[in-house]
Amino acid sequence: MRTIKSIIELEQYKQNPGALQFYRGESRCYDTPMMSGIYRNADGLSINELQKREREYFNVFKQKTASKEIKVQDPFSSNLKFHKEWFWLFQAQHLKHKTRLIDFTVDMNTALFFAVNDSIDDEQNGHFWIFNCPKEIKITSTNEAKLFNCKPLEIEQSYMINPVQYQSEEDFIGKRRMIRQMGRFFVQSFEDGFTPVFKQEKFKDNFIHFEIDAKSKITIREELAESCYSYNWIYFEQ
C-alpha cells in the first residue's frame, strides 16, 4: 500500500476520471471500510433482521417524503417502473440516511477531502481508493432501464451508477450535495454487501489503495480549502 503525503503525489495516478475511474476517501481505518450504512453497527443481527431494517429505513424515508416532512426532488416522468424510488434513494444517501448505496466520486479532490477532513482523526492515516471500474457495470442514461426496472432493495447485481441530474428552480439539499460532490453510487446485492468492495474477489484487482499520511492531513486540508474544497461547499446547507 502506497503512502501519500501531498495532493501532487496522488494526482499522478489520475487516468480516466468521469469515464471508468472512481474515487473514495475515508478519514481512518474503519471496522467497516467501504461498506454501506446498513451494515454498520450490525453486530449480532441476522441477515433477515438487517434486511428488515433496510426496508424499514427506506419506508420511513418514503413516508416522510410523501408527507413533505423531508424535501426531495422528483424525477421527470418515466416509463421505468422504479425510477422514482431510485431517485429518492440517491437523495436519501446524501441526506445522511442509511441505505445500501456506497458513495464514490469522479473528482479526486472530493474523495481526498473525505480522507482528511475530520480533524478528530488527524492522528490516524486516512485511506483513499481508486476504482478502475469494469465498463459492464456502469449505469448511465443509455442503459438505465436494467436498473430502474428493478426494485432498489431487491437488486442482485453490482452497478456503479451515474445518476441523471434534473434542472430545477428550487434547491434540494440532497440533489445539490450530489452535484457538488460529483457523486456516483455503487450498489450491490444484499449478500455481497457484507464484504468490503475492494476485498471482493471480482473487484479486488480493480482497486488501488493508498494511505494518507496522518502528519500531512492538515497541510492537504488547507490546500484543498484554497481550491474551495471545504465542509460548507461539500455539505451544502439550504
Side-chain angles (χ1 to χ4, degrees), residues 23-102:
Y23 313 106
R24 179 175 172 86
E26 297 181 2
S27 62
R28 60 184 172 86
C29 184
Y30 289 100
D31 294 333
T32 54
M34 206 181 290
M35 294 173 67
S36 72
I38 291 295
Y39 301 91
R40 297 174 192 162
N41 303 314
D43 290 347
L45 294 180
S46 68
I47 291 179
N48 287 339
E49 287 171 327
L50 273 177
Q51 288 179 311
K52 180 181 178 181
R53 182 167 78 171
E54 181 185 37
R55 288 192 299 270
E56 289 174 347
Y57 283 164
F58 193 41
N59 285 337
V60 168
F61 180 82
K62 288 191 293 184
Q63 290 166 8
K64 289 184 176 181
T65 296
S67 67
K68 307 301 182 183
E69 184 178 343
I70 295 177
K71 184 180 174 184
V72 299
Q73 184 185 26
D74 287 329
F76 293 155
S77 60
S78 169
N79 293 325
L80 303 177
K81 193 171 182 181
F82 299 104
H83 187 205
K84 187 172 184 177
E85 287 199 18
W86 279 103
F87 200 69
W88 282 6
L89 188 67
F90 300 154
Q91 292 175 84
Q93 177 75 359
H94 276 285
L95 291 171
K96 301 184 179 180
H97 290 259
K98 290 184 178 180
T99 77
R100 200 189 303 186
L101 303 176
I102 300 175

XYZ file of all heavy atoms in Angstrom, residues 23-102:
688
model
N -13.374 7.407 -7.283
C -12.547 7.621 -6.097
C -13.390 7.583 -4.826
O -14.569 7.962 -4.818
C -11.846 8.976 -6.183
C -11.186 9.244 -7.514
C -11.740 10.140 -8.423
C -10.012 8.583 -7.883
C -11.154 10.382 -9.654
C -9.413 8.814 -9.111
C -9.994 9.713 -9.996
O -9.417 9.939 -11.215
N -12.740 7.147 -3.733
C -13.385 7.175 -2.421
C -12.331 7.432 -1.353
O -11.222 6.880 -1.415
C -14.103 5.859 -2.129
C -14.776 5.831 -0.747
C -15.589 4.565 -0.509
N -16.061 4.495 0.865
C -17.185 5.055 1.304
N -17.955 5.730 0.464
N -17.548 4.949 2.565
N -12.675 8.271 -0.367
C -11.773 8.537 0.741
C -12.460 8.309 2.072
O -13.656 8.570 2.221
N -11.691 7.816 3.057
C -12.180 7.636 4.422
C -11.105 8.140 5.371
O -9.914 7.955 5.127
C -12.517 6.167 4.699
C -13.649 5.643 3.825
C -14.016 4.187 4.111
O -13.415 3.570 5.012
O -14.914 3.663 3.412
N -11.520 8.772 6.473
C -10.575 9.512 7.309
C -9.715 8.636 8.220
O -8.742 9.099 8.796
C -11.323 10.544 8.161
O -12.237 9.901 9.033
N -10.077 7.370 8.364
C -9.273 6.448 9.170
C -9.628 5.017 8.766
O -10.459 4.800 7.884
C -9.526 6.657 10.664
C -10.959 6.440 11.114
C -11.116 6.776 12.590
N -12.478 6.779 13.049
C -13.148 5.706 13.473
N -12.542 4.523 13.475
N -14.388 5.792 13.889
N -9.002 4.064 9.433
C -9.271 2.657 9.159
C -10.498 2.235 9.965
O -10.403 1.967 11.163
C -8.060 1.805 9.530
S -8.261 0.060 9.123
N -11.638 2.199 9.324
C -12.885 1.840 9.994
C -13.027 0.321 10.102
O -12.397 -0.434 9.362
C -14.088 2.404 9.223
C -14.230 3.903 9.319
C -13.797 4.722 8.281
C -14.802 4.494 10.443
C -13.930 6.103 8.366
C -14.940 5.870 10.528
C -14.499 6.664 9.490
O -14.630 8.032 9.580
N -13.886 -0.100 11.039
C -14.191 -1.525 11.158
C -14.953 -2.024 9.935
O -14.919 -3.208 9.617
C -15.029 -1.791 12.420
C -14.253 -1.514 13.693
O -13.015 -1.621 13.663
O -14.889 -1.188 14.712
N -15.674 -1.107 9.288
C -16.464 -1.462 8.099
C -16.040 -0.576 6.929
O -16.810 0.258 6.456
C -17.972 -1.292 8.376
O -18.208 0.041 8.868
C -18.465 -2.301 9.390
N -14.817 -0.728 6.428
C -14.359 0.131 5.329
C -15.095 -0.176 4.039
O -15.375 -1.329 3.723
C -12.872 -0.215 5.210
C -12.791 -1.633 5.678
C -13.817 -1.747 6.781
N -15.432 0.875 3.302
C -16.107 0.734 2.018
C -17.303 -0.212 2.108
O -17.486 -1.103 1.287
C -15.149 0.287 0.915
C -15.620 0.734 -0.484
S -14.544 0.221 -1.830
C -13.109 1.240 -1.532
N -18.107 0.015 3.142
C -19.354 -0.711 3.302
C -20.462 0.305 3.532
O -20.225 1.390 4.065
C -19.284 -1.707 4.460
C -18.301 -2.840 4.222
S -18.057 -3.907 5.667
C -19.665 -4.691 5.802
N -21.666 -0.027 3.119
C -22.762 0.935 3.232
C -23.257 1.048 4.672
O -22.973 0.193 5.519
C -23.918 0.529 2.314
O -24.582 -0.598 2.824
N -24.034 2.102 4.932
C -24.506 2.385 6.285
C -25.379 1.295 6.874
O -25.442 1.138 8.100
N -26.050 0.522 6.036
C -26.928 -0.543 6.518
C -26.154 -1.570 7.337
O -26.681 -2.159 8.286
C -27.627 -1.239 5.330
C -28.645 -0.289 4.687
C -28.298 -2.536 5.750
C -29.799 0.088 5.597
N -24.882 -1.786 7.010
C -24.105 -2.850 7.647
C -23.309 -2.359 8.867
O -22.650 -3.166 9.526
C -23.144 -3.471 6.635
C -23.853 -4.061 5.444
C -24.097 -3.287 4.306
C -24.312 -5.367 5.447
C -24.770 -3.810 3.214
C -24.985 -5.899 4.361
C -25.215 -5.108 3.244
O -25.894 -5.629 2.155
N -23.383 -1.087 9.159
C -22.645 -0.554 10.302
C -23.441 -0.752 11.588
O -24.658 -0.675 11.591
C -22.346 0.933 10.091
C -21.441 1.183 8.892
C -21.282 2.649 8.609
N -20.648 2.872 7.303
C -20.682 4.014 6.637
N -21.329 5.050 7.139
N -20.094 4.125 5.467
N -22.714 -0.997 12.672
C -23.346 -1.237 13.980
C -24.380 -2.353 13.889
O -25.486 -2.259 14.427
C -24.009 0.051 14.501
C -23.036 1.202 14.600
O -21.924 1.038 15.100
N -23.435 2.370 14.119
N -24.010 -3.418 13.189
C -24.954 -4.514 12.937
C -24.536 -5.806 13.615
O -25.040 -6.875 13.265
C -25.089 -4.729 11.438
N -23.630 -5.734 14.574
C -23.164 -6.948 15.246
C -24.334 -7.674 15.887
O -25.157 -7.078 16.594
C -22.128 -6.599 16.321
C -20.814 -6.126 15.722
O -20.636 -6.311 14.510
O -19.983 -5.577 16.470
N -24.385 -8.966 15.656
C -25.413 -9.785 16.285
C -26.711 -9.865 15.517
O -27.593 -10.655 15.880
N -26.865 -9.056 14.465
C -28.100 -9.093 13.680
C -27.984 -10.132 12.572
O -26.949 -10.256 11.929
C -28.388 -7.722 13.069
C -28.720 -6.573 14.028
C -28.969 -5.295 13.250
C -29.943 -6.908 14.884
N -29.052 -10.858 12.370
C -29.083 -11.844 11.290
C -29.318 -11.146 9.959
O -29.664 -9.956 9.908
C -30.202 -12.855 11.535
O -31.469 -12.220 11.400
N -29.130 -11.888 8.867
C -29.389 -11.323 7.541
C -30.832 -10.857 7.437
O -31.116 -9.758 6.943
C -29.079 -12.352 6.441
C -27.567 -12.603 6.353
C -29.600 -11.873 5.086
C -27.179 -13.617 5.304
N -31.757 -11.664 7.927
C -33.173 -11.284 7.861
C -33.457 -10.016 8.651
O -34.243 -9.167 8.215
C -34.049 -12.428 8.382
C -34.119 -13.587 7.401
O -33.861 -13.425 6.209
N -34.470 -14.765 7.903
N -32.814 -9.884 9.809
C -33.019 -8.694 10.631
C -32.451 -7.450 9.949
O -33.045 -6.367 10.002
C -32.369 -8.894 12.009
C -33.130 -9.866 12.897
C -32.366 -10.223 14.164
O -31.111 -10.268 14.111
O -33.010 -10.461 15.189
N -31.301 -7.613 9.294
C -30.707 -6.481 8.572
C -31.551 -6.080 7.370
O -31.738 -4.888 7.097
C -29.299 -6.833 8.117
C -28.159 -6.570 9.110
C -26.851 -7.046 8.534
C -28.075 -5.102 9.463
N -32.058 -7.060 6.659
C -32.921 -6.748 5.519
C -34.200 -6.058 5.977
O -34.681 -5.132 5.309
C -33.249 -8.024 4.746
C -32.072 -8.559 3.966
C -32.387 -9.837 3.223
O -32.944 -10.775 3.791
N -32.044 -9.885 1.946
N -34.728 -6.489 7.107
C -35.909 -5.835 7.664
C -35.589 -4.398 8.036
O -36.370 -3.477 7.776
C -36.396 -6.604 8.889
C -37.635 -5.994 9.540
C -38.064 -6.794 10.768
C -39.275 -6.139 11.442
N -39.684 -6.895 12.666
N -34.405 -4.171 8.620
C -34.005 -2.813 8.992
C -33.872 -1.928 7.754
O -34.301 -0.773 7.760
C -32.676 -2.849 9.764
C -32.219 -1.474 10.224
C -31.087 -1.565 11.245
N -29.808 -1.831 10.629
C -28.636 -1.780 11.282
N -28.642 -1.497 12.576
N -27.512 -2.034 10.669
N -33.302 -2.479 6.688
C -33.171 -1.718 5.449
C -34.535 -1.305 4.914
O -34.748 -0.149 4.527
C -32.424 -2.541 4.400
C -32.228 -1.805 3.077
C -31.592 -2.665 2.011
O -31.892 -3.873 1.953
O -30.788 -2.129 1.217
N -35.479 -2.245 4.885
C -36.829 -1.933 4.407
C -37.494 -0.873 5.277
O -38.131 0.057 4.760
C -37.690 -3.205 4.386
C -37.320 -4.189 3.288
C -38.387 -5.265 3.131
N -38.555 -6.048 4.357
C -37.877 -7.165 4.630
N -36.971 -7.622 3.774
N -38.097 -7.830 5.747
N -37.332 -0.981 6.577
C -37.948 -0.018 7.488
C -37.359 1.370 7.287
O -38.097 2.371 7.260
C -37.766 -0.469 8.941
C -38.609 -1.686 9.307
C -38.302 -2.205 10.705
O -37.273 -1.774 11.294
O -39.072 -3.044 11.198
N -36.043 1.463 7.147
C -35.398 2.764 6.928
C -35.946 3.437 5.675
O -36.296 4.619 5.683
C -33.887 2.589 6.775
C -33.113 2.359 8.054
C -31.810 1.874 8.022
C -33.674 2.619 9.303
C -31.085 1.656 9.188
C -32.952 2.410 10.464
C -31.661 1.920 10.400
O -30.952 1.718 11.554
N -36.008 2.656 4.584
C -36.434 3.263 3.325
C -37.925 3.573 3.336
O -38.352 4.594 2.789
C -36.085 2.348 2.151
C -36.196 3.024 0.809
C -35.753 4.335 0.620
C -36.739 2.363 -0.283
C -35.848 4.962 -0.624
C -36.843 2.981 -1.518
C -36.398 4.280 -1.684
N -38.722 2.740 3.961
C -40.160 3.015 4.052
C -40.435 4.279 4.855
O -41.294 5.085 4.481
C -40.898 1.823 4.668
C -41.055 0.671 3.704
O -41.012 0.854 2.490
N -41.223 -0.533 4.228
N -39.705 4.464 5.945
C -39.868 5.690 6.740
C -39.469 6.905 5.916
O -40.153 7.932 5.927
C -39.033 5.618 8.037
C -38.964 6.986 8.717
C -39.630 4.597 8.995
N -38.371 6.781 5.172
C -37.933 7.893 4.323
C -38.997 8.225 3.283
O -39.317 9.399 3.068
C -36.616 7.547 3.632
C -36.093 8.649 2.745
C -35.388 9.708 3.281
C -36.318 8.621 1.375
C -34.901 10.730 2.469
C -35.850 9.633 0.558
C -35.144 10.687 1.112
N -39.558 7.212 2.641
C -40.586 7.456 1.623
C -41.831 8.089 2.237
O -42.446 8.982 1.634
C -40.945 6.142 0.917
C -39.850 5.644 -0.017
C -40.334 4.504 -0.897
C -40.628 3.260 -0.114
N -41.018 2.131 -0.998
N -42.197 7.654 3.438
C -43.360 8.235 4.105
C -43.131 9.713 4.422
O -44.011 10.555 4.217
C -43.674 7.463 5.387
C -44.224 6.067 5.153
C -44.195 5.209 6.405
O -43.903 5.681 7.495
N -44.497 3.918 6.245
N -41.932 10.025 4.918
C -41.624 11.417 5.261
C -41.509 12.271 4.002
O -41.836 13.460 4.032
C -40.323 11.478 6.071
C -40.466 10.922 7.477
C -39.182 11.096 8.286
C -39.378 10.626 9.710
N -38.154 10.813 10.537
N -41.069 11.656 2.915
C -41.004 12.373 1.647
C -42.405 12.660 1.118
O -42.707 13.777 0.679
C -40.204 11.559 0.620
O -38.846 11.438 1.081
C -40.191 12.241 -0.734
N -43.265 11.654 1.174
C -44.639 11.817 0.691
C -45.401 12.858 1.489
O -46.232 13.596 0.948
C -45.368 10.479 0.731
N -45.112 12.957 2.786
C -45.802 13.929 3.642
C -45.126 15.299 3.634
O -45.556 16.207 4.352
C -45.857 13.405 5.081
O -44.551 13.350 5.651
N -44.046 15.437 2.856
C -43.277 16.683 2.723
C -42.475 17.032 3.973
O -41.958 18.132 4.086
C -44.197 17.865 2.362
C -45.075 17.637 1.141
C -44.259 17.355 -0.092
C -45.152 17.170 -1.320
N -44.382 16.814 -2.533
N -42.367 16.079 4.907
C -41.507 16.309 6.073
C -40.038 16.370 5.644
O -39.230 17.094 6.222
C -41.724 15.197 7.103
C -40.943 15.382 8.392
C -41.220 14.298 9.414
O -42.229 13.580 9.280
O -40.422 14.180 10.357
N -39.701 15.563 4.641
C -38.390 15.618 4.007
C -38.600 16.107 2.583
O -39.465 15.611 1.864
C -37.715 14.233 3.991
C -37.422 13.772 5.414
C -36.425 14.275 3.178
C -36.830 12.378 5.499
N -37.774 17.060 2.187
C -37.941 17.689 0.877
C -36.953 17.094 -0.117
O -35.738 17.208 0.051
C -37.710 19.196 1.023
C -37.934 20.008 -0.232
C -37.672 21.482 0.080
C -37.741 22.338 -1.150
N -37.393 23.759 -0.849
N -37.488 16.436 -1.148
C -36.635 15.877 -2.192
C -37.194 16.257 -3.555
O -38.369 16.600 -3.693
C -36.530 14.336 -2.097
C -35.928 13.910 -0.777
C -37.884 13.683 -2.319
N -36.341 16.170 -4.534
C -36.773 16.424 -5.903
C -37.337 15.146 -6.512
O -36.800 14.054 -6.300
C -35.596 16.910 -6.753
C -35.984 17.286 -8.179
C -34.784 17.643 -9.031
O -33.670 17.200 -8.779
N -34.994 18.453 -10.050
N -38.409 15.266 -7.252
C -38.951 14.147 -8.022
C -38.326 14.153 -9.411
O -38.055 15.219 -9.971
C -40.468 14.254 -8.158
C -41.192 13.929 -6.857
O -40.662 13.098 -6.079
O -42.269 14.507 -6.614
N -38.104 12.979 -9.981
C -37.581 12.927 -11.356
C -38.679 13.262 -12.360
O -39.867 13.295 -12.015
C -37.140 11.475 -11.495
C -38.086 10.729 -10.606
C -38.334 11.643 -9.427
N -38.277 13.499 -13.583
C -39.260 13.642 -14.642
C -40.016 12.313 -14.806
O -39.520 11.257 -14.413
C -38.593 14.025 -15.958
C -37.982 15.404 -15.943
C -36.927 15.718 -16.794
C -38.457 16.390 -15.089
C -36.357 16.978 -16.792
C -37.896 17.662 -15.086
C -36.841 17.951 -15.931
N -41.195 12.385 -15.369
C -41.984 11.177 -15.569
C -41.211 10.195 -16.442
O -40.470 10.577 -17.351
C -43.326 11.515 -16.207
O -43.131 12.137 -17.464
N -41.383 8.912 -16.137
C -40.615 7.885 -16.839
C -41.449 6.615 -16.941
O -42.282 6.328 -16.070
C -39.323 7.592 -16.073
O -38.680 6.449 -16.575
N -41.202 5.847 -17.980
C -41.851 4.551 -18.126
C -41.128 3.461 -17.339
O -41.603 2.333 -17.270
C -41.901 4.147 -19.604
C -42.809 5.056 -20.411
O -43.831 5.518 -19.916
N -42.433 5.312 -21.654
N -39.994 3.803 -16.753
C -39.227 2.833 -15.978
C -39.882 2.673 -14.609
O -40.105 3.642 -13.890
C -37.782 3.293 -15.845
C -37.061 3.534 -17.180
C -35.656 4.057 -16.950
C -37.022 2.248 -18.002
N -40.168 1.454 -14.244
C -41.092 1.161 -13.153
C -40.680 1.746 -11.801
O -41.503 2.259 -11.046
C -41.270 -0.356 -13.033
C -42.429 -0.774 -12.150
C -42.676 -2.265 -12.272
C -43.868 -2.682 -11.412
N -44.108 -4.147 -11.499
N -39.393 1.663 -11.469
C -38.952 2.082 -10.138
C -38.002 3.280 -10.192
O -37.207 3.495 -9.270
C -38.286 0.902 -9.412
C -39.217 -0.258 -9.224
C -39.105 -1.386 -10.030
C -40.221 -0.214 -8.272
C -39.964 -2.456 -9.873
C -41.092 -1.278 -8.105
C -40.973 -2.401 -8.906
N -38.102 4.065 -11.254
C -37.227 5.219 -11.423
C -37.341 6.182 -10.241
O -36.337 6.667 -9.696
C -37.584 5.930 -12.728
C -36.641 7.031 -13.092
N -37.001 8.083 -13.885
C -35.344 7.249 -12.764
C -35.970 8.899 -14.024
N -34.959 8.417 -13.365
N -38.569 6.465 -9.822
C -38.779 7.434 -8.745
C -38.176 6.949 -7.436
O -37.545 7.727 -6.708
C -40.270 7.702 -8.579
C -40.595 8.819 -7.589
C -42.077 9.142 -7.624
C -42.412 10.326 -6.723
N -43.854 10.682 -6.805
N -38.354 5.668 -7.138
C -37.800 5.139 -5.891
C -36.279 5.223 -5.899
O -35.666 5.558 -4.884
C -38.247 3.695 -5.665
C -39.712 3.584 -5.265
C -40.032 2.258 -4.613
O -39.093 1.558 -4.166
O -41.226 1.915 -4.535
N -35.640 4.906 -7.020
C -34.186 5.031 -7.100
C -33.757 6.485 -6.923
O -32.785 6.777 -6.211
C -33.681 4.501 -8.446
C -33.550 3.016 -8.508
C -34.405 2.136 -9.112
C -32.503 2.225 -7.949
N -33.955 0.846 -8.963
C -32.780 0.873 -8.248
C -31.346 2.521 -7.219
C -31.946 -0.175 -7.852
C -30.519 1.479 -6.822
C -30.821 0.159 -7.137
N -34.477 7.389 -7.559
C -34.114 8.805 -7.472
C -34.231 9.305 -6.036
O -33.408 10.105 -5.574
C -35.024 9.625 -8.402
C -34.478 10.968 -8.761
C -33.366 11.088 -9.574
C -35.070 12.127 -8.280
C -32.853 12.333 -9.914
C -34.563 13.373 -8.609
C -33.459 13.487 -9.427
N -35.239 8.842 -5.324
C -35.368 9.185 -3.907
C -34.237 8.556 -3.085
O -33.713 9.180 -2.160
C -36.715 8.719 -3.381
C -37.869 9.603 -3.754
C -37.842 10.685 -4.591
C -39.231 9.488 -3.314
N -39.091 11.233 -4.698
C -39.963 10.526 -3.932
C -39.898 8.593 -2.482
C -41.323 10.698 -3.712
C -41.250 8.755 -2.266
C -41.967 9.807 -2.874
N -33.873 7.310 -3.429
C -32.813 6.631 -2.690
C -31.492 7.377 -2.825
O -30.739 7.513 -1.852
C -32.663 5.193 -3.193
C -31.718 4.284 -2.403
C -32.265 4.021 -1.006
C -31.493 2.966 -3.139
N -31.191 7.891 -4.027
C -29.965 8.667 -4.219
C -29.937 9.881 -3.284
O -28.913 10.196 -2.674
C -29.854 9.149 -5.670
C -29.823 8.050 -6.697
C -30.263 8.291 -7.992
C -29.347 6.781 -6.384
C -30.234 7.288 -8.952
C -29.314 5.763 -7.342
C -29.772 6.032 -8.630
N -31.066 10.561 -3.179
C -31.115 11.751 -2.324
C -31.080 11.376 -0.844
O -30.504 12.103 -0.019
C -32.364 12.573 -2.654
C -32.290 13.195 -4.047
C -33.562 13.921 -4.442
O -33.754 15.082 -4.094
N -34.435 13.223 -5.171
N -31.680 10.249 -0.494
C -31.624 9.772 0.894
C -30.178 9.585 1.330
O -29.795 9.946 2.455
C -32.395 8.462 1.032
N -29.354 9.038 0.438
C -27.944 8.824 0.753
C -27.262 10.143 1.081
O -26.494 10.243 2.040
C -27.249 8.137 -0.430
C -25.755 7.925 -0.262
C -25.419 6.795 0.690
O -26.299 6.163 1.257
N -24.141 6.534 0.864
N -27.564 11.193 0.323
C -26.915 12.483 0.553
C -27.596 13.313 1.637
O -27.109 14.389 1.996
C -26.827 13.267 -0.760
C -25.641 12.870 -1.580
N -24.360 13.249 -1.276
C -25.534 12.080 -2.681
C -23.516 12.738 -2.144
N -24.204 12.016 -3.009
N -28.691 12.816 2.159
C -29.315 13.424 3.336
C -28.940 12.654 4.599
O -29.557 12.816 5.648
C -30.835 13.473 3.155
C -31.314 14.449 2.078
C -32.813 14.270 1.812
C -31.034 15.892 2.493
N -27.916 11.786 4.468
C -27.310 11.050 5.583
C -28.222 9.987 6.174
O -28.106 9.637 7.347
C -26.817 12.019 6.672
C -25.789 13.018 6.172
C -25.241 13.897 7.283
C -24.210 14.874 6.769
N -23.663 15.738 7.851
N -29.121 9.446 5.346
C -29.908 8.295 5.764
C -29.145 7.029 5.394
O -28.399 6.995 4.412
C -31.278 8.311 5.075
C -32.171 9.405 5.565
N -33.184 9.191 6.470
C -32.192 10.735 5.299
C -33.798 10.327 6.727
N -33.217 11.280 6.028
N -29.328 5.986 6.175
C -28.630 4.737 5.908
C -29.306 4.015 4.752
O -30.504 3.740 4.794
C -28.602 3.863 7.158
C -27.695 4.410 8.256
C -27.628 3.466 9.433
C -26.666 4.006 10.496
N -26.575 3.089 11.667
N -28.509 3.707 3.736
C -29.004 2.988 2.562
C -27.985 1.906 2.193
O -26.942 1.774 2.844
C -29.191 3.921 1.351
O -27.912 4.206 0.779
C -29.871 5.229 1.739
N -28.276 1.156 1.144
C -27.336 0.157 0.662
C -26.290 0.765 -0.265
O -25.339 0.101 -0.684
C -28.082 -0.963 -0.067
C -27.262 -2.252 -0.164
C -27.909 -3.281 -1.070
N -29.250 -3.627 -0.667
C -29.972 -4.578 -1.241
N -29.456 -5.262 -2.260
N -31.204 -4.838 -0.845
N -26.437 2.008 -0.605
C -25.519 2.663 -1.529
C -24.178 2.970 -0.870
O -24.103 3.256 0.326
C -26.137 3.959 -2.047
C -27.490 3.855 -2.750
C -28.009 5.240 -3.102
C -27.389 2.984 -3.992
N -23.121 2.957 -1.679
C -21.789 3.370 -1.240
C -21.361 4.535 -2.114
O -21.420 4.462 -3.342
C -20.776 2.214 -1.353
C -21.222 1.034 -0.481
C -19.377 2.679 -0.944
C -20.342 -0.200 -0.621
